[in-house]
């Protein structure tokens, strides 16, 4: 497609994947990346941290991402590009190259036969001119595959990876943690692998003379954990020492010390394994023991291995390397240094301070499923590790943390949780005398499951999204420091069912439908509107707030309920001790806390203090809700549910009424005409017509009669029409209501006559648009372009969004498209133009909101 006008993203909201290694912060430019559905999201490099672009190449969920690690010996100035690695459920490992916010897939590494779960990578400088890059990936096919690449003169772009070695897990086990590093003194590549058999194996790259090749050999196994190994990290506090940290599902962190000792005489060696000139001479005692058991029965072998492990637990293991450069023997010893206990659940992440220079106090962070992140430091006076700071969730319905890391400068700590949320803390490095204090910082995340629907509020200043992650999220603008940025500002609804559809009733009310038979209406609390005004400086909200005296302060969820209950100002006597009389009062986390904001809320605040009270339930449907719409006068709600028979494929209309000075909605009519599920409904801008499209391949147009204010079917096409042959996914009205557009799975788009058309005008206007891919969403721009053409946005099954100009005389004409790095990676579920537009440089600037099956909501800007 020819791009006439670029489409730029204003805002991308997306959660992190539910995988332990799905986030990393590093590279030459200190960039933050995380796995998001089938993509990799790249964030800005300063506060407020927000997604700038997403990179699409994987065909299934991305499980882990990793920047290729630098060692002190790497000449960073020679590197011509940044590189990171991603692994996915699609069995592939992909190497990405680029810089700033533009990265391209450089090489796809295939070989695994099942879901690839973790990855690690490292640069290794052989001789100041040749750069070797190692990548290790582990999959649930019980293998760890190692790739290497040799780059002459650091030329990364003209060198490729080759598979170097396959390590097969014993007894069909799985590798759950990988870490590359360099052995002290000898600088040989070291690979540590943590398995589900509770062991950590140490591999060192050596030369095999019999086969005349280099490969990784297992020199030792660390034994002590009693459950799956979840993470491994290494630091070098001294020239001759490594500190290895491992975390496990046994809730413990173990620290192992590996030290090197240069021997002057060969007679001083007391070791189980000797490596002469970087090559294997004989295997360790434990390796001999393992090979002895190879032909034995698995059960018998397991028993003997356990016995061997018990004998080795308290011993310090030794191996020796003869280094040609130094003409000395280097002996290594490994022993358990410390055991840390500070978590009450599985520990998914353990990470050392990234700037661990010699002599600096040792610092370590750990993140667990017990909802806490702990900062540990080593107290040299008492020779103990102390937890100096804790952070995390309190209460709520979340699980714990899946991972955490420092940023390369160690100014920030970031963690990601089970529900896709990102948690960011800034460390108080300016005032170290106050100790370790973690201050919550601003970062955007988003939904972690399919986003089903999106809608703008009547004033067009903010929008809502609903998702199968069972949340409704409020997205608005934050005005600060002379600029505007978009953020998730509220979470009005946290439900027990997958949410399906949503629509605003007025500026402070919305109605939503889920996989249940009930529509629910919510009204904004006073403190939320006040906080939104403080962030956005939206004067219309200020005027609305001044006139709304009866609004509740907030909302809370009962301990065993689904409905958000209003919380009002309650004057209490502090001296009076009240015993809990309700179940809610026994669980303090369900209470609402009134907090006034001057910056976008953190995840903890979103969960607890941004709920909207539920004001009404609407009963009437026999099956799960599927679509909802509200007319332009904000007095009628139209709703439809899933249907496999015509009697269930009815539109129920709900009319606003005033009962005892309280506004509520009551069912007043049903509209028939469809045979199967009604997928989408749209009221015309004048409110005179209601358009609906259905799974039965038909559209129906209902007209409002002025004499009784009821809607009647005026025209439509049947399910056996000659135009659409598959489900019609979407529809929308032009800004003048003269036309409406329909888009279908049959890869066709039609424009039809709208307002004031005769009953027999059920034929398309002009020629239809035939495309090569199913169209799943469409939207008319809120105004004509400056050349007097209509602008139509189309969303596709692949996630692409394209823009077409349309006129009665010339039909459809390609205009623009969203770049791949800004596009969704899965089916676009809904498109919605902001009814506001801005005139700039003789062009009109439009804003388009979109949502997708990839779990993201995006806001684009386009000039036309």
């Amino acid at each position: 497609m020819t791009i006439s006008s670029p489409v730029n993203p204003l805002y991308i909201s997306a959660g992190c994947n539910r995988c332990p290694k799905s986030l990393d912060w590093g590279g030459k430019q200190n960039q933050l990346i995380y796995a998001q559905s089938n993509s990799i999201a790249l964030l800005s490099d300063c506060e407020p941290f927000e997604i700038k672009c997403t990179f699409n190449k994987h065909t299934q969920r991305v499980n882990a991402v990793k920047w290729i690690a630098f060692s002190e010996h790497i000449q960073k100035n020679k590197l011509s590009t940044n590189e990171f690695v991603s692994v996915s459920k699609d069995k592939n490992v992909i190497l990405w190259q680029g810089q700033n916010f533009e990265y391209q897939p450089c090489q796809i590494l295939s070989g695994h036969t099942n879901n690839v779960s973790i990855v690690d990578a490292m640069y290794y400088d052989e001789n100041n001119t040749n750069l070797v890059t190692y990548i290790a990936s582990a999959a649930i096919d019980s293998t760890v595959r190692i790739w290497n690449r040799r780059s002459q003169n650091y030329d990364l772009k003209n060198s490729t990876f080759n598979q170097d070695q396959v390590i097969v897990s014993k007894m069909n086990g799985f590798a759950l943690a990988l870490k590359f590093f360099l052995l002290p003194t000898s600088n040989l590549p070291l690979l540590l692998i943590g398995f589900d058999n509770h062991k950590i194996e140490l591999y060192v790259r050596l030369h095999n003379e019999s086969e005349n090749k280099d490969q990784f050999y297992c020199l030792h196994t660390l034994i002590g954990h009693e459950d799956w190994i979840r993470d491994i990290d290494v630091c070098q506090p001294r020239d001759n020492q490594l500190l290895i940290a491992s975390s496990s599902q046994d809730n413990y962190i173990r620290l192992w010390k590996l030290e090197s000792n240069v021997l002057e005489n060969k007679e001083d060696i007391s070791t189980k394994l000797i490596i002469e000139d970087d090559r294997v001479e004989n295997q360790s005692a434990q390796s001999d023991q393992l090979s002895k058991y190879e032909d034995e029965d698995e059960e018998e072998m397991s028993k003997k291995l356990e016995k061997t492990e018990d004998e080795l637990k308290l011993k310090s293991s030794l191996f020796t390397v003869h280094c040609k450069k130094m003409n000395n023997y280097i002996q290594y010893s490994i022993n358990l240094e410390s055991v840390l206990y500070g978590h009450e659940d599985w520990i998914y992440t353990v990470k050392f301070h990234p700037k661990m220079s010699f002599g600096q106090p040792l610092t370590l962070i750990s993140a667990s499923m017990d909802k806490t992140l702990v900062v540990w430091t080593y107290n040299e006076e008492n020779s103990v590790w102390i937890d100096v700071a804790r952070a995390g969730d309190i209460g709520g319905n979340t699980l714990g943390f899946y991972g955490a890391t420092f940023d390369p400068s160690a100014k920030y700590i970031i963690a990601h949780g089970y529900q896709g949320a990102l948690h960011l803390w800034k460390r108080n490095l300016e005032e170290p005398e106050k100790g370790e204090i973690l201050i919550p910082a601003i970062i955007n995340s988003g939904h972690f499951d399919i986003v089903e629907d999106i809608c703008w509020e009547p004033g067009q200043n903010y929008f809502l999204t609903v998702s199968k992650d069972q949340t409704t999220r409020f997205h608005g603008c934050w005005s600060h420091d002379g600029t505007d940025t978009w953020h998730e500002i509220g979470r009005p609804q946290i439900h027990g069912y997958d949410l399906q559809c949503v629509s605003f009733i007025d500026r402070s009310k919305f109605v939503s439908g889920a996989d249940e038979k009930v529509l629910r209406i919510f009204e904004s609390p006073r403190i939320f509107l006040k906080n939104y005004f403080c962030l956005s400086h939206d004067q219309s909200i200020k005027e609305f707030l001044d006139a709304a005296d009866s609004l509740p302060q907030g909302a809370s969820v009962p301990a065993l309920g689904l409905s958000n209950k209003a919380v009002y100002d309650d004057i209490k006597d502090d001296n009076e001790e009240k015993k809990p009389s309700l179940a809610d009062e026994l669980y303090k986390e369900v209470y609402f806390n009134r907090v006034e904001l001057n910056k976008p809320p953190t995840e903890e605040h979103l969960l607890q203090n941004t709920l909207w009270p539920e004001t009404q339930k609407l009963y009437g449907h026999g099956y799960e809700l599927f679509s909802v719409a509200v007319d332009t006068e904000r007095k009628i709600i139209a709703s439809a549910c899933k249907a496999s028979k015509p009697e269930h494929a009815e539109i129920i209309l709900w009319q606003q009424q005033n009962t005892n000075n309280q506004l509520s909605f009551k069912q007043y009519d049903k509209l028939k005409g469809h045979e199967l599920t009604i997928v989408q409904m749209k009221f015309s801008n004048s409110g005179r017509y209601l358009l609906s499209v259905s799974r039965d391949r038909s559209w129906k147009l209902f007209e409002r009669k002025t004499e009784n204010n009821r809607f009647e079917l005026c025209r439509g096409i049947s399910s056996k029409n000659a135009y659409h042959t598959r489900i019609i996914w979407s529809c929308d009205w032009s800004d003048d209501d003269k036309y409406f557009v329909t888009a279908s799975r049959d890869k066709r788009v039609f424009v039809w006559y709208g307002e004031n058309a005769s009953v027999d005008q059920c034929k398309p206007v002009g020629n239809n648009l035939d495309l090569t891919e199913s169209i799943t969403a469409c939207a008319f721009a809120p105004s004509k372009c400056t050349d007097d053409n209509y602008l139509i946005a189309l969303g596709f099954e692949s996630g692409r969004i394209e823009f077409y100009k349309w006129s009665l005389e010339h039909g459809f004409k390609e205009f623009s498209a969203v770049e791949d790095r800004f596009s969704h990676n899965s089916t676009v579920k809904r498109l919605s133009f902001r009814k506001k537009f801005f005139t700039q440089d003789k062009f009109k600037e439009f804003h388009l909101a979109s949502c997708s099956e990839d779990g993201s909501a995006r806001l684009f800007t386009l000039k036309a």
Side-chain angles (χ1 to χ4, degrees):
M1 170 178 271
T2 304
I3 306 297
S4 303
S5 177
V7 183
N8 296 311
L10 281 178
Y11 172 58
I12 301 176
S13 169
C16 186
N17 286 351
R18 294 177 170 184
C19 303
K21 310 291 182 185
S22 56
L23 180 146
D24 196 27
W25 203 334
K28 285 176 61 180
Q29 296 177 304
N30 295 350
Q31 292 176 306
L32 174 60
I33 55 174
Y34 66 82
Q36 188 273 313
S37 184
N38 303 346
S39 305
I40 298 99
L42 175 62
L43 279 73
S44 57
D45 53 5
C46 62
E47 269 193 272
F49 293 95
E50 53 187 348
I51 301 175
K52 287 297 186 182
C53 50
T54 55
F55 305 116
N56 308 322
K57 187 63 178 179
H58 288 288
T59 57
Q60 296 187 61
R61 185 192 67 207
V62 178
N63 291 327
V65 292
K66 181 67 180 175
W67 289 102
I68 300 183
F70 299 100
S71 68
E72 294 183 355
H73 307 281
I74 301 301
Q75 302 171 62
K76 295 183 183 180
N77 58 328
K78 285 188 176 182
L79 295 174
S80 56
T81 182
N82 294 336
E83 293 184 311
F84 67 86
V85 188
S86 61
V87 297
S88 165
K89 193 177 178 181
D90 63 11
K91 309 173 189 176
N92 290 328
V93 180
I94 297 183
L95 174 72
W96 301 80
Q97 290 183 343
Q99 56 187 352
N100 299 325
F101 299 108
E102 296 186 6
Y103 286 81
Q104 295 294 330
C106 174
Q107 189 175 353
I108 299 176
L109 308 178
S110 302
H112 285 290
T113 59
N114 213 324
N115 187 352
V116 189
S117 54
I118 54 172
V119 67
D120 196 44
M122 178 185 73
Y123 292 119
Y124 174 61
D125 192 334
E126 275 191 327
N127 49 20
N128 295 326
T129 56
N130 293 342
L131 184 69
V132 181
T133 311
Y134 295 107
I135 294 176
S137 59
I140 60 174
D141 59 9
S142 298
T143 64
V144 175
R145 294 178 183 267
I146 300 173
W147 285 269
N148 70 10
R149 174 190 64 188
R150 292 183 179 275
S151 306
Q152 298 289 335
N153 298 317
Y154 280 61
D155 185 6
L156 302 180
K157 294 185 177 180
N158 296 313
S159 52
T160 58
F161 278 90
N162 297 303
Q163 186 167 299
D164 180 64
Q165 186 178 350
V166 179
I167 300 172
V168 180
S169 303
K170 300 176 181 68
M171 300 174 67
N172 296 322
F174 305 122
L176 302 173
L178 298 170
K179 182 63 182 178
F180 277 111
F181 213 76
L182 296 178
L183 276 175
T185 312
S186 64
N187 284 333
L188 290 173
L190 169 70
L191 174 62
L192 297 102
I193 307 177
F195 290 94
D196 61 353
N197 62 1
H198 321 163
K199 303 181 185 70
I200 301 170
E201 296 182 358
L202 277 69
Y203 288 79
V204 178
R205 190 165 182 84
L206 308 168
H207 183 70
N208 188 328
E209 284 195 341
S210 60
E211 299 180 10
N212 193 27
K213 69 174 184 179
D214 294 342
Q215 67 179 42
F216 285 88
Y217 288 91
C218 181
L219 302 188
H220 182 59
T221 301
L222 299 177
I223 300 165
H225 283 294
E226 297 177 353
D227 209 332
W228 293 5
I229 309 298
R230 276 301 180 178
D231 199 15
I232 301 171
D233 200 23
V234 184
C235 73
Q236 189 169 3
R238 296 187 180 88
D239 282 329
N240 68 329
Q241 185 185 100
L242 294 185
L243 198 59
I244 301 168
S246 60
S247 63
S248 167
Q249 290 183 185
D250 63 8
N251 307 350
Y252 287 95
I253 299 169
R254 286 178 174 259
L255 299 174
W256 318 79
K257 185 186 291 183
L258 186 149
E259 290 184 305
S260 63
N261 183 25
V262 178
L263 305 177
E264 296 183 357
N265 301 314
K266 191 173 181 179
E267 290 76 17
D268 296 335
I269 298 173
S270 57
T271 179
K272 295 174 182 175
L273 182 138
I274 301 174
I275 305 161
E276 291 281 0
D277 300 333
D278 299 351
R279 67 177 184 271
V280 176
E281 185 174 290
N282 65 293
Q283 296 294 327
S284 69
Q286 190 179 11
S287 298
D288 288 339
Q289 194 75 8
L290 290 173
S291 62
K292 181 180 177 183
Y293 296 149
E294 275 181 1
D295 300 326
E296 296 189 18
D297 178 76
E298 279 193 3
E299 185 178 349
E300 193 66 28
M301 181 179 74
S302 179
K303 290 179 181 178
K304 292 185 178 181
L305 275 175
E306 287 177 7
K307 185 178 178 182
T308 306
E309 291 163 9
D310 291 338
E311 293 172 357
L312 292 173
K313 266 184 183 178
L314 300 176
K315 294 182 180 179
S316 178
S317 183
L318 304 173
F319 58 89
T320 304
V321 171
H322 178 231
C323 185
K324 280 185 175 180
K325 294 179 182 178
M326 300 173 61
N327 195 25
N328 278 326
Y329 288 89
I330 306 169
Q331 183 170 276
Y332 294 94
S333 64
I334 311 169
N335 63 328
L336 180 64
E337 172 74 8
S338 185
V339 178
L340 308 183
Y341 180 70
H343 292 286
E344 297 176 351
D345 210 335
W346 299 355
I347 304 173
Y348 270 105
T349 294
V350 59
K351 283 283 183 286
F352 281 110
H353 191 292
K355 291 177 170 275
M356 199 67 75
S357 58
F358 302 151
Q360 178 179 320
L362 294 171
T363 304
L364 178 76
I365 61 170
S366 59
S368 167
M369 289 299 282
D370 67 2
K371 304 185 185 182
T372 61
L373 178 139
V374 179
V375 181
W376 306 83
T377 59
Y378 184 68
N379 187 309
E380 293 188 0
E381 292 182 7
N382 301 315
S383 299
V384 293
W385 286 84
I386 302 172
D387 56 332
V388 293
R390 284 178 177 263
D393 287 341
I394 298 175
N397 60 350
T398 63
L399 293 177
F401 293 122
Y402 254 152
T405 188
F406 286 97
D407 79 303
S409 64
K411 293 179 182 177
Y412 294 94
I413 296 174
I414 187 170
H416 62 99
Y418 179 79
Q419 293 185 327
L422 299 177
H423 305 255
L424 183 68
W425 297 275
K426 188 173 183 178
R427 304 174 67 214
N428 62 326
L429 301 180
E430 293 80 11
E431 300 176 305
E433 66 277 0
K434 292 185 178 181
E436 186 78 30
I437 299 176
L438 301 181
I439 305 165
I442 304 167
I443 189 167
N444 278 341
S445 55
H447 292 286
F448 61 90
D449 209 336
I450 297 172
V451 185
E452 291 285 357
D453 201 1
I454 194 166
C455 71
W456 287 92
E457 57 91 19
Q460 307 297 307
N461 291 322
Y462 45 86
F463 62 90
L464 290 176
T465 55
V466 292
S467 166
K468 287 191 178 297
D469 67 7
Q470 304 182 351
T471 64
T472 300
R473 306 196 184 210
F474 180 107
H475 308 266
C477 197
W478 177 35
S479 297
H480 62 102
D481 302 326
T483 185
D484 293 337
T485 54
W486 286 79
H487 301 269
E488 181 185 346
I489 294 177
R491 206 165 294 175
Q493 184 182 11
I494 300 176
H495 204 34
Y497 293 95
D498 295 353
L499 287 156
Q500 184 66 41
C501 52
V502 67
S503 185
F504 269 102
I505 297 172
D506 60 30
R507 302 207 69 181
S508 66
K509 294 189 186 77
F510 72 87
V511 57
S512 67
D515 282 346
E516 57 175 344
K517 304 173 186 179
V518 184
L519 281 168
R520 297 174 186 265
I521 297 176
F522 298 84
E523 185 173 17
S524 172
R526 188 175 183 81
I527 188 64
F528 180 87
L529 291 175
K530 186 175 181 180
N531 283 333
Y532 174 67
F533 169 73
C534 291
L535 296 175
S536 65
H537 309 303
D538 184 350
Q539 289 301 321
S540 62
I541 287 290
K542 181 70 165 57
E543 296 166 4
F544 180 85
L545 194 59
D546 292 340
D549 297 326
S550 60
L551 291 177
Q553 283 297 334
S556 64
V557 182
L560 300 175
L562 287 174
S563 301
N564 298 351
K565 187 171 66 174
V567 175
Y568 293 89
D569 283 329
D570 188 15
I571 301 173
K572 294 187 295 184
D573 185 358
D574 295 336
N575 298 322
E576 181 183 350
E577 291 187 6
K578 181 183 176 184
K579 294 183 180 180
S581 59
L582 299 173
D584 301 356
E585 297 173 6
L586 293 172
Y587 302 96
K588 297 298 184 184
E589 66 268 19
V590 304
Y591 280 178
F592 160 78
N593 294 316
R594 177 173 174 167
V595 179
E596 295 187 3
L597 301 175
N598 55 15
K599 62 181 181 180
T602 62
E603 178 69 15
E604 292 80 8
H605 183 85
L606 287 169
L607 286 169
Q608 294 290 115
N609 302 320
T610 60
L611 290 174
W612 290 18
E614 183 180 313
T615 58
Q616 189 180 1
K617 296 181 179 69
L618 302 180
Y619 298 91
H621 288 287
Y623 291 93
E624 295 87 350
L625 272 300
F626 202 86
S627 57
V628 68
V630 178
D631 76 327
T632 51
E633 294 180 2
R634 308 295 159 184
K635 293 183 178 179
I636 294 177
I637 298 173
S639 60
C641 68
K642 292 180 181 178
S644 57
K645 296 179 181 180
E647 55 263 34
H648 298 132
E650 297 176 333
I651 299 172
I652 296 183
L653 297 180
W654 315 81
Q655 190 173 37
Q656 190 181 84
Q657 60 183 7
N658 193 327
T659 306
N660 298 327
N661 294 324
Q662 288 191 348
L663 296 178
S664 61
F665 284 84
K666 184 178 180 180
Q667 179 180 328
Y668 87 104
D669 204 359
K670 289 187 177 182
L671 306 180
K672 298 182 179 179
H674 288 289
E675 299 174 8
L676 297 172
T677 303
I678 296 169
V679 178
Q680 188 178 9
M681 299 176 291
K682 292 285 286 190
F683 282 96
S684 62
N685 295 293
S686 65
R688 180 181 170 188
Y689 293 95
L690 172 62
L691 173 66
S692 61
V693 294
S694 168
R695 244 182 69 199
D696 62 13
R697 305 179 293 278
S698 71
W699 58 261
K700 306 294 180 186
L701 192 63
F702 301 89
E703 184 179 5
R704 190 201 302 252
K705 300 300 179 181
T706 54
E707 57 271 15
N708 57 9
N709 202 33
R710 291 184 178 270
F711 284 83
E712 293 181 5
L713 178 63
C714 63
R715 56 194 172 98
I717 59 173
S718 69
S719 59
K720 297 181 180 179
N721 65 85
Y723 311 109
H724 285 302
T725 58
R726 304 294 294 275
I727 178 175
I728 303 177
W729 278 118
S730 187
C731 62
D732 198 18
W733 290 89
S734 63
D735 64 292
D736 53 13
D737 289 340
K738 289 182 179 179
Y739 308 98
F740 63 86
V741 62
T742 58
S744 169
R745 192 178 180 184
D746 61 11
K747 307 173 186 176
R748 294 177 182 175
V749 180
F750 288 94
V751 175
W752 314 77
Y753 284 109
E755 198 172 62
N756 298 323
S758 61
V759 176
D760 57 349
Q761 281 186 313
C762 289
K763 293 183 179 180
V765 182
N767 295 325
N768 66 290
L769 178 64
D770 282 317
L771 298 166
T772 59
E773 189 181 350
S774 296
I775 307 106
T776 55
C778 63
F780 261 112
S783 174
K784 288 183 179 180
C785 304
T786 51
D787 57 6
D788 207 36
N789 286 321
Y790 292 97
L791 181 65
I792 299 175
L794 301 177
F796 293 87
E797 205 167 36
S798 65
R800 278 183 58 77
I801 298 174
E802 295 181 356
F803 296 86
Y804 289 81
K805 287 187 175 181
W806 182 86
S807 64
L808 188 61
E809 298 78 18
H810 302 102
F812 286 95
K813 182 181 178 182
E814 293 180 359
F815 178 62
S816 189
V818 178
E819 286 183 52
D820 286 344
R821 65 191 177 114
F822 304 136
S823 293
H824 296 284
N825 63 57
S826 190
T827 304
V828 178
K829 299 293 288 186
R830 191 74 78 229
L831 296 175
S832 180
F833 271 103
R834 190 180 188 182
K835 298 301 181 185
K836 280 185 178 179
F837 59 90
F838 310 91
T839 303
Q840 289 187 0
D841 303 327
K842 299 181 181 180
F843 289 99
K844 292 180 181 179
E845 181 181 326
F846 300 105
H847 292 171
L848 175 71
S850 66
C851 60
S852 166
E853 283 188 2
D854 65 9
S856 69
R858 304 176 189 229
L859 182 61
F860 300 100
T861 178
L862 171 72
K863 292 180 181 179

